[in-house]
């Protein structure tokens, strides 16, 4: 289904008009409120929205962008409103629905249709050989899962996936359960997302997270936004950028596409934004080729080094910082300066598609800025050379001392609302020994030390039959993972697949020999403990602030359970009553979970008290707080990253797979991508007009996209409308997850193993 077009509306051929040059404004408010009204009903919807991101409310289930200290009464965006609408919907999927629809029937439906059916409300079981899911009680469901897990020859035959919405409390217990069972097989959505950032930052700065607070954006002189589309994916970031601009910051945008949000922002929270033309955000737009960022940052760094050589006292570099806090500068500078000038610039121009004067314009802005923040997202992380690219961004900041002081630093902008917290809680297949030591000491067991499987390796293990029970805490593994055909084949080989979910998705229709659906409470749902009292969970935002989240929507069914309850109930069945881990007690009282987190995870001392303060608290971050760098050398590391860029054979295009304005990852909210001028469908491929002409394909033509990869397998995505679009020569774009079928499983980033979903070589064939 994710491959072939069908009658589902999201698979219709869209209309494509002119892209917009501004984002938000009144249309955004109207679209946001309309989705809430349609799904949740006006009153329930508005009551819910009034609590999003408020200090006593719940954390928006959309993105991980932090909330400002002084909150606006409407501290949410259009797409946050859509995310809430999806959750707070009154539509319900019940046993009757599953009786009417066979799994085979559901597997023919699109992700959009599945999501539109509403919230999952009771546990369901697909028995071996059965055609339909049937109801199963919680006891029987969890017994069945426990029995399968106990029956494995080795705990490493189990895989525990996590998506990034899971609360800190549930994530902590989930990883404890997996490790108590004896495996580090804890892949998560981060493996497909910011793993490259964590990898590069850990090695160079010693902490795999961003080093700025929200206020730092306002103090910056220059903000670089590279490989990110905040107008759609982090709309509240535009408010912060607008504020920064008013405080005097300049903005350089690095992107193959002229994204509307980065051009002009009409702030829906202000009268000026609603009435007038809004704020122009980008001062300099570098329309880079896909994968050209490494070359771009290398060029800027070389220019800075050359300036310093020519004029040693010009302040091009921060020598004092380099001497005191960094390691490897001399070797770095030497290798960067050896190459002959002409050869170097030829390579930079080929990789970036930018001419030297354009890059020198950026250099002038860099030299004029004392404080620089670099923000990035998937445009940098999902390439084969993503880790070297981000390391080079770090070099760029280190050269001028832009780490560990106000208004400066690294800002990887996270995706899922608690993806960073989940990692902090130990959802990681390669945990640090110190974390395992602390966990083992607190819970009195010896955690497994051998690294576990990440997403790509899990798929291989399932395909080979060495992983047999797959459990997902949220997410939509089958659609989100690369190489749809390979992933589906792998999942189907499992003995049992289990989805702890809020909404129906494709991962419920492509299953192991048997399958369970366990319906969970979502972020916005009211969560009551056994005594009937309301409970709250905690989350960590993209900038390392931890705060409480209290759902307020009355759940559609009593059969939906909190994720913490599900994990603890399963653990009790697996391990019985344990003196060291009082699973029942922890389920009954989240404060007890938080006390255990405080004992294990650095930075959470006094967790229960501090998280009750309005706005929560910030986790420590050594480079940011006191310029200390917990790396192997004890300093911030310069690294050498030879320029590479994707190579595309003649007549082929490099495809990036990205998000439309009307989706949240694999959840499709609607069929328009307003800012890019697309209406009424998702099967569209954006191509440079010159490339289209050379290929002999006109705008509006229907084409198939065929992936080209060395393994000789044909990967084909059918029936896309070609749209001529201002993307650089040789670079195309189409939406995920429809194009995941084209991303080869083995095409991943070096070091982080993240699927290179922004760098897929394709050819286009006329479809009719
Ligand atoms: N509404 C909404 N919000 C979301 C999500 C959602 O789906 N919908 N998803 C959430 C998640 S999990 C994540 S990770 C984030 C994703 O947030 P983004 O990273 O903004 O998401 P993408 O749509 O993948 O956009 C990638 C951007 O990078 C650019 N790009 C692609 N390749 C390159 C490149 O080689 N170089 C440069 N410089 N730019 C490039 C693209 O043109 C595009 O603007 O958003 C989160 N927030
Ligand atoms: N080609 C390509 N592939 C990509 C990407 C790309 O840019 N291009 N991006 C990658 C990225 S950045 C990411 S993060 C992954 C996303 O991968 P996932 O996180 O696996 O996917 P989502 O679509 O976010 O998952 C949505 C499902 O999560 C469930 N859910 C939602 N909220 C909750 C909750 O509170 N609790 C529970 N238990 N379940 C919940 C619902 O059932 C919903 O259907 O996809 C990756 N895949
Ligand atoms: Mo993500």
């Amino acid at each position: 289904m994710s491959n072939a077009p069908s009658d589902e509306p999201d698979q219709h051929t869209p209309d494509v008009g002119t892209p917009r040059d501004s984002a938000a404004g009144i249309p955004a408010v109207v679209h946001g409120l309309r989705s809430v009204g349609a799904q949740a009903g006006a009153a329930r919807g508005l009551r819910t929205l009034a609590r999003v991101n408020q200090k006593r409310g719940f954390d928006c289930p959309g993105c991980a962008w932090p909330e400002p200290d002084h909150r606006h009464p409407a501290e949410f965006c259009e797409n946050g409103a859509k995310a809430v609408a999806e959750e707070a919907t009154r539509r319900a999927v019940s046993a009757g629905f599953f009786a009417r629809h066979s799994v085979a029937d559901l597997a023919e439906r699109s992700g959009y249709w599945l999501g539109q059916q509403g919230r999952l409300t009771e546990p369901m079981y697909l028995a071996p050989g059965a055609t339909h899911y049937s109801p199963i009680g919680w006891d029987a469901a969890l017994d069945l899962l426990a029995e399968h897990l106990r029956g494995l020859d080795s705990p490493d035959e189990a895989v525990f996936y996590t998506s990034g919405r899971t609360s800190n409390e549930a994530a902590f217990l989930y990883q404890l359960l997996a490790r108590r069972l004896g495996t580090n097989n804890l892949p998560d959505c981060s493996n497909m997302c910011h793993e490259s950032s964590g990898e590069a930052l850990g090695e160079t700065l010693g902490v795999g997270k961003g080093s700025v607070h929200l206020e730092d954006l306002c103090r910056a002189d220059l903000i670089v936004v590279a490989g990110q589309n905040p107008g759609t994916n982090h709309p509240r970031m535009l408010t912060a950028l607008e504020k920064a601009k008013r405080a005097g910051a300049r903005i350089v945008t690095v992107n193959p596409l002229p994204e509307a949000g980065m051009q002009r922002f009409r702030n829906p929270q202000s009268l000026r934004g609603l009435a007038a033309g809004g704020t122009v955000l980008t001062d300099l737009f570098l329309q880079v080729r896909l994968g050209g960022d490494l070359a771009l940052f290398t060029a800027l760094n070389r220019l800075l080094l050359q300036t310093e050589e020519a004029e040693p006292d010009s302040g091009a570099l921060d020598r004092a910082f380099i001497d005191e806090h960094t390691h490897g500068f001399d070797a770095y500078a030497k290798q960067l300066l050896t190459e002959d000038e002409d050869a170097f610039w030829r390579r930079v121009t080929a990789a970036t598609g930018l001419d030297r004067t354009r890059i020198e314009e950026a250099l002038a802005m860099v030299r004029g800025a004392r404080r620089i923040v670099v923000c990035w997202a998937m445009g940098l992380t999902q390439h084969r050379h993503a880790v070297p690219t981000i390391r080079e961004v770090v070099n760029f900041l280190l050269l001028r001392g832009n780490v560990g002081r106000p208004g400066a630093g690294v800002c990887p902008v996270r995706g899922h609302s608690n993806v960073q917290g989940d990692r902090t809680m130990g959802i990681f297949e390669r945990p640090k020994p110190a974390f395992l030591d602390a966990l083992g000491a607190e819970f009195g067991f010896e955690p497994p030390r051998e690294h576990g499987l990440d997403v790509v390796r899990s798929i291989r293990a399932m395909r080979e039959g060495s992983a047999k029970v797959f459990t997902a805490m949220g997410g939509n593994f089958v659609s989100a993972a690369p190489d749809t055909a390979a992933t589906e084949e792998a999942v189907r080989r499992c003995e049992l697949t289990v989805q702890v979910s809020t909404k129906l998705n494709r991962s419920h229709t492509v299953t192991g020999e048997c399958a369970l659906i366990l319906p969970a409470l979502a972020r916005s749902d009211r969560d009551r403990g056994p005594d009937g009292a309301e409970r709250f969970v905690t989350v960590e935002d993209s900038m390392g602030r931890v705060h409480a989240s209290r759902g307020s929507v009355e759940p559609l069914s009593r059969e939906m359970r909190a994720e913490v309850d599900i994990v603890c109930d399963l653990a009790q069945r697996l391990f019985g009553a344990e003196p060291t881990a009082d699973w029942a007690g922890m389920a009954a009282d989240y404060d007890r979970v938080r006390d255990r987190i405080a004992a294990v995870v650095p930075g959470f001392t006094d967790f229960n008290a501090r998280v009750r303060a309005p706005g929560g608290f910030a986790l420590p971050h050594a480079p940011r707080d006191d310029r200390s760098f917990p790396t192997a050398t004890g300093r911030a590391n310069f690294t050498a990253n030879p320029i590479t860029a994707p190579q595309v054979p003649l007549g082929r295009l490099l495809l990036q797979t990205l998000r439309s304005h009307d989706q949240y990852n694999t959840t499709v909210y609607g069929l328009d991508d307003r800012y890019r001028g697309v209406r009424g469908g998702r099967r569209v491929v954006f191509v440079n007009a010159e490339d289209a002409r050379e290929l002999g394909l006109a705008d509006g033509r229907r084409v198939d996209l065929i992936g080209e990869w060395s393994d000789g397998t044909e990967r084909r995505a059918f029936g896309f409308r070609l749209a001529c679009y201002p993307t650089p020569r040789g670079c195309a774009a189409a939406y995920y997850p429809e194009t995941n079928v084209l991303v080869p499983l083995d095409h991943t980033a070096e070091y982080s193993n993240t699927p290179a979903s922004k760098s897929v070589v394709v050819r286009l064939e006329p479809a009719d």
Side-chain angles (χ1 to χ4, degrees), residues 385-717:
H385 57 302
V387 175
T389 301
I390 297 162
R391 281 190 208 137
E392 201 58 34
V393 169
V394 173
N395 289 338
F396 168 73
L397 290 168
L398 293 180
L399 284 175
R400 290 173 59 83
N402 277 311
V403 176
R405 60 186 167 83
V410 288
C411 182
V413 182
R414 304 279 163 178
H416 268 301
S417 53
N418 198 38
V419 63
Q420 187 159 314
D422 291 348
R423 198 40 85 78
T424 307
M425 291 298 116
I427 302 291
F428 192 25
E429 76 283 355
R430 294 175 287 141
K432 290 219 174 89
F435 177 85
L436 295 178
D437 294 343
L439 189 72
E442 174 68 16
F443 291 95
F445 75 110
E446 186 46 54
R449 300 276 159 172
E450 203 177 312
H451 287 175
L453 301 168
D454 62 10
V455 164
V456 166
R457 293 189 178 97
S458 296
I459 295 166
R460 289 198 193 109
M462 289 187 270
R463 193 171 57 181
E464 290 156 9
S466 55
K468 295 177 178 158
V469 176
F470 175 86
T471 304
M473 185 54 76
N476 180 4
F477 189 85
V478 164
S479 290
D483 222 341
T484 312
T487 297
E488 293 193 351
E489 184 201 331
V491 168
R492 288 191 202 279
R493 290 209 56 188
C494 288
E495 281 174 12
L496 170 68
T497 49
V498 181
Q499 302 286 334
V500 179
S501 307
T502 55
K503 302 284 295 266
L504 196 62
N505 63 46
R506 184 155 178 85
S507 298
H508 305 111
T509 73
V510 177
T511 69
E513 193 191 2
C514 54
L516 285 168
I517 298 176
L518 304 178
L521 292 181
R523 193 67 63 70
S524 49
D525 291 326
R526 181 168 288 145
D527 180 2
R528 292 186 193 277
D531 56 356
E534 282 183 32
R535 311 188 279 190
F536 69 91
V537 291
T538 64
V539 293
E540 175 185 341
D541 68 30
S542 194
M543 295 183 180
R545 267 200 97 78
V546 178
H547 62 87
S549 176
R550 292 175 178 79
S552 55
V553 178
E554 203 47 49
L556 289 180
S557 136
R558 285 170 170 271
E559 288 294 301
M560 291 148 79
R561 281 207 187 171
E563 290 174 346
V564 167
D565 290 342
I566 299 171
V567 177
C568 289
D569 195 342
L570 174 64
Q572 268 187 295
R573 285 163 212 267
L574 281 169
F575 314 124
E578 295 188 297
T580 49
D582 173 15
W583 296 99
M586 290 194 286
D589 181 0
Y590 292 175
D591 276 5
R592 292 200 208 171
V593 187
R594 287 187 278 268
D595 283 339
R596 307 305 285 270
I597 293 172
V600 172
V601 188
F604 284 83
T605 320
D606 232 356
F607 188 9
N608 270 309
R610 285 196 297 157
V611 83
R612 285 178 161 84
F617 62 96
L619 288 174
H621 186 290
R624 180 195 65 206
D625 300 339
D626 53 19
R627 286 195 155 175
S628 62
F629 298 92
T631 60
T633 63
R635 287 164 164 246
N637 291 317
F638 278 99
T639 50
N641 306 295
I643 294 181
T644 60
Q647 298 302 311
V648 185
L650 211 66
R652 310 299 190 252
L653 299 173
L654 196 63
L655 178 80
Q656 63 154 319
T657 60
L658 81 180
R659 292 153 173 81
S660 88
H661 193 63
D662 265 2
Q663 74 182 84
Y664 193 94
N665 298 340
T666 69
T667 300
V668 173
Y669 299 140
L671 308 180
D672 303 339
D673 190 2
R674 204 164 74 240
Y675 297 150
R676 299 195 185 105
V678 176
R679 288 181 67 82
R682 293 177 47 85
R683 292 188 98 84
V684 55
V685 57
F686 302 106
V687 177
N688 177 290
E690 286 293 299
D691 287 327
R693 200 175 48 78
E694 268 182 22
L695 294 169
L697 298 164
D699 184 277
R701 192 70 199 261
R702 265 167 63 86
V703 294
D704 288 349
L705 313 182
I706 299 106
E708 299 211 334
W709 181 248
S710 49
D711 62 2
T713 306
E714 180 173 288
R715 296 179 173 82
R716 185 180 286 260

Side-chain angles (χ1 to χ4, degrees), residues 189-190 192-194 378 382 414-416 419 659 665 736:
C189 68
S190 221
M192 301 183 266
C193 183
H194 265 293
M378 297 305 101
Q382 297 177 333
R414 304 279 163 178
H416 268 301
V419 63
R659 292 153 173 81
N665 298 340
Y736 127 80

